Amino acid sequence: MSKKRYLGLGALVLVFALIAAACGGGGGGGGTSAQGNAGNVKKGGTFRVATEDFGFTGAFDPTDEYLGEAWGMYTNMLVRTLLTYKHTAGPAGNVLVPDLATSVPQPTDGGKTYTFHLKNGIKFGPPVNREITSKDILYAFQRIACKTCGAEYGFYYSVIKGLKPGAMPGDPGKIKIPGIETPDDKTIVFHLTQPTGDFLYRLAMPATGPIPQEVAHCFTKAGDYGRYVISSGPYMIAGSDKLNIKNGCSGMKPISGYQPSKELDFVRNPNYDPSTDSPDVRANYVDGVTITIDTNTKDIWNKVQQNALDGEISHIQPDTLAQYQSNPDLKKNLHINSGDRTWYITMNLTQPPFDDIHVRKAMNYVIDKQALRKAWGGPASGDIATHIMPPTMTGGHPTAAEYDPYKTPNDQGDVQKAMAEMKQSKYDTNHDGKCDASVCKRVLFLNRGDNPTWTNMEPTVVADAKKIGINLVPRELATSAAYTTLQTVNKNIPISLVPGWGKDYPDPYTFVYTLFHSSSILCQGNVNYSLVGLTPSQAKECGVKGDISNVPSADKELDKCEPLTGDQRTQCWVAADKFIMEDIVPWVPYLWSSVIQATSDAVTNFDFDQFSGTWAYSKIAVDPSKQQ
Amino acid sequence: MTRYVIRRLLYVILVILVITFISYVVFFLMPSGNPAVQFAGKSPTKALIHQIEKQFGLNHPWYVQYGIFVKHLFLGDQYGWPGFGESYNTREPVKNELFSRAWVTFQLAVGAAVVWLAMGIPIGIVSALRRRTLIDRASMGFALFGVSAPVFVLGLLSLWIFWQHLRILPGTGYTSFSSNPAEWFLQFLQPWVVLSLLFAAFYARMVRGNLLETMSEDYIRTARAKGLPERRVVFKHGLRASLTPVVTMFGMDFGLLLGGAIITETVFNLPGLGTYVVQAVNDQNLPAVVGVVVLAAFFVAFFNLVVDILYAYLDPRVRYS
């Protein structure tokens, strides 16, 4: 090699190094939101979305899947149910409308019988290609009852006579459910064991959508049908038409459009008849939807900004939010909607010092909720939560301004009020407003360690608790491990910043009943983290180590709400919320979070699906000429 | 030689067994709770958790699960040989995913290896032969930069410059060679260069040091005294001896990379083993974690063996019997 060549090589290397060293990172900013994109709405094109991980809990099998993002895909594109929603933002998006059914029925038999008639002309997509009948809906319920199928929210259907969710052995197609009748192909009747005010909402959940037995009978293990889902909606998984169902179960290979660790592609279902649907419910502008996996969060948001993607399924980080809010070109593409979700600090009623209600009240007074929201990115992240249920769940009231039992100046915490509460606690023996008992010296505080939002909130909670003498010792785990740890009762976690809770359907039952009724306490997978209503037998079975003599119950307040309907029902749940916040105090609720989404310049029509808390795929339109 | 290779292959199996055993122990001793709970929904019933445990095989004690895993690994499972089981979150055979992702990682590793050898060795040689000159200092400056700049910084910087601003290279993602060779090359170019910078810098320093030491040996002086051309002295006598440790390092580094380049794959959104194992750890997806561990351990152990065999050819003093 000549001297000249050596010099050339060295110079090349140096230039690369200097370029790399000289160029700095991107910018930042701050601001608020905008809703919708202006422009001509035309049919066609592909809506391209990316996510870090699908995160499906049931491998995309509609019987099992319990992830809101998946529900958005089903209800907008893939699975039609007896009833559905308008797939739009705000209160209108929480109203039930007929889908497979001709109308929304009124219950008979004292609220215990519901009869549905099915529309004509609704067919399964390829390769099944036949008209949907009431037997296909019955089969969905048989899979919910099936022991091996793994229906994750099957408990909602235990009110149907003779249906034992996940407990009935044998071939699902042969399971007898006395509470469901199909007198003809176009009629289905449900008989309930008791009046259930929110039963119609439960029939709009994806697990109840029709499933063709000729395909699904091959997949009766939890999650197995996820790669073979046959469409009943306006779109189907790309490649569904190639699924070979003629040679029995062994001939079926997974549909190519869904590759669990790479992408999920939807294309139009040729058997979909728009006359059986309404454009208010599904407009179906785009020809297809592509959801890909991108492990790099920053890259996803960059691609949306560059029009290389049209949207994201990704939790926005505070710096990205600030960037959007400070740049008018980006801000017009930012969409902020209510997430119908509460984030909170949970306190275990059996673990000292939180087994004392005065300590729990003191925590509610001392926490600086503004600082916690700042870690999320500021006001755009949502409203400060002052009680259990977001107002959107109870007809818009009570708002935070209308009901705030632990009000502090500007929601920044009030040490004096907190100390006044602490003085009444048995753990403050000298009544100086600070916990002086040994149980306050090292209190395990479980948090998420893999998300900067949570790690940024941690110092605030630790510092605030210290003001009333509680020394929290943080322990951080990856989100999934943190959840499973918190959900295991015998871990006896005293306090945690990990959880949040979103609705399953727009009725408070899915909030307060599931979270605070004693019947929801499970030794594993428990979501009643505070153990409200814990009985001695449950404590023994689950290995609770602590004092359970003072654990209060909300069962009476919750049980009386469930059979009610209409305004009576709503008021009953509001009263239950107040009872829990003042007489039990299991949480420090701090945020009713928003869902923040960003679109590319190519998106000409945006809507948010309030039911699933994600994209209203059936209402999105794109202009392909603007896509990169 | 054959006996030596067989003995080393048995050693590879032992290494895999020990490492997978440790993975099982760590997984079950970690305070992570029951993975079945995670795949049983937001508010699961006891019956459902039990059903999921049964489906995943989590209803057995951990040592029985490990025994079943070893049996399937060597004898195959319902998805064929080698049996890696079923992914908890996709309910798909782990084997299919592992092999398709290993191919992506392989392409990344091979390309990066070519780049880092092509950069690192010449820079090291030039630097050694032109000691204390401007070229030497510039080369060592580059080496310092390459060793100290984290891959995620270089990766994001590279994307910012070449994709977002100059728009001369595509962004992140993976295109297969068969679908579009040009796109495949351009898509891999940034990850190759970024990943190779660290190694190139390291190899440059190593080659420089080795070559400087070799060039001061007596036999080099003898070769020069005999009147051999300088090129022949450097490349035939000097470089060959100084490359032996480089081959050792290359085997280790390449084997390690085949187990997944986590940061590079994450930054450039490459569906390789690195991104797979990160997802698997986050999801408490034990079969996927152990699958990657097995492959990574195999690659490292295998390339160690290859290096040892190559030694015999590079260094006449080494003989295996």
Side-chain angles (χ1 to χ4, degrees), chain B residues 2 12 24 53 63 82 93 155 162 167 176 222 286 292:
Chain B
T2 310
V12 169
Y24 263 77
E53 282 176 342
Y63 47 86
F162 297 108
R167 292 181 179 274
S176 68
T222 308
L286 177 66
V292 177

XYZ file of all heavy atoms in Angstrom, chain B residues 2 12 24 53 63 82 93 155 162 167 176 222 286 292:
115
model
N -9.382 -34.972 15.183
C -10.809 -35.315 15.236
C -11.249 -35.487 16.683
O -12.306 -34.987 17.082
C -11.067 -36.626 14.456
O -10.449 -36.502 13.183
C -12.570 -36.860 14.276
N -19.000 -27.767 24.246
C -20.021 -26.789 23.838
C -21.374 -27.178 24.435
O -22.101 -26.342 24.981
C -20.123 -26.721 22.286
C -21.348 -25.929 21.845
C -18.859 -26.114 21.698
N -32.708 -20.727 33.886
C -33.922 -21.204 34.553
C -33.937 -20.794 36.023
O -34.942 -20.341 36.536
C -34.020 -22.741 34.424
C -34.911 -23.160 33.286
C -34.463 -23.096 31.980
C -36.213 -23.593 33.513
C -35.273 -23.461 30.922
C -37.039 -23.964 32.456
C -36.564 -23.902 31.169
O -37.387 -24.256 30.127
N -51.205 -21.788 32.991
C -50.014 -22.473 33.532
C -49.852 -23.846 32.884
O -48.757 -24.247 32.505
C -50.154 -22.650 35.049
C -49.868 -21.389 35.837
C -50.120 -21.566 37.322
O -50.829 -22.524 37.706
O -49.632 -20.747 38.091
N -37.510 -27.378 38.173
C -36.477 -28.332 37.730
C -37.060 -29.360 36.758
O -36.374 -29.842 35.864
C -35.797 -29.006 38.938
C -36.752 -29.518 39.981
C -37.313 -30.784 39.881
C -37.122 -28.722 41.064
C -38.208 -31.244 40.835
C -38.012 -29.171 42.019
C -38.554 -30.426 41.891
O -39.450 -30.877 42.828
N -34.338 -28.621 16.583
C -34.320 -28.751 18.039
C -35.565 -28.108 18.641
O -36.074 -27.127 18.115
C -33.062 -27.973 18.434
C -32.883 -26.959 17.349
C -33.446 -27.547 16.097
N -44.162 -21.335 17.534
C -42.915 -22.022 17.877
C -41.748 -21.029 17.965
O -41.563 -20.232 17.043
C -42.698 -22.982 16.708
C -43.951 -22.984 15.934
C -44.743 -21.780 16.285
N -25.563 5.744 16.339
C -26.696 5.282 15.545
C -27.713 6.384 15.329
O -28.129 6.653 14.190
N -27.954 11.157 7.916
C -28.071 10.544 6.584
C -29.508 10.249 6.150
O -29.778 10.148 4.966
C -27.230 9.262 6.522
C -25.769 9.526 6.709
C -25.121 9.161 7.883
C -25.038 10.183 5.731
C -23.780 9.419 8.068
C -23.689 10.448 5.915
C -23.058 10.084 7.078
N -31.115 12.776 3.625
C -32.041 11.888 2.893
C -31.343 11.062 1.815
O -31.882 10.840 0.734
C -33.193 12.694 2.280
C -34.127 13.272 3.319
C -35.276 14.037 2.692
N -36.162 14.564 3.701
C -37.172 13.897 4.261
N -37.427 12.681 3.884
N -37.932 14.449 5.172
N -35.397 -7.641 2.976
C -34.618 -8.844 2.679
C -33.895 -8.687 1.344
O -34.354 -7.960 0.457
C -35.534 -10.072 2.655
O -36.395 -9.996 1.551
N 16.639 -9.644 10.810
C 17.356 -10.582 9.943
C 16.805 -10.534 8.520
O 17.561 -10.510 7.540
C 17.207 -12.021 10.509
O 17.587 -12.002 11.869
C 18.057 -13.014 9.730
N -40.133 -16.844 28.927
C -38.998 -17.730 29.217
C -38.522 -18.543 28.012
O -37.317 -18.580 27.743
C -39.338 -18.654 30.389
C -38.263 -19.674 30.752
C -37.005 -18.984 31.276
C -38.765 -20.666 31.787
N -32.733 -17.757 22.887
C -31.653 -16.842 22.485
C -30.370 -17.182 23.249
O -29.271 -17.171 22.673
C -32.058 -15.365 22.715
C -30.905 -14.433 22.377
C -33.280 -15.002 21.872
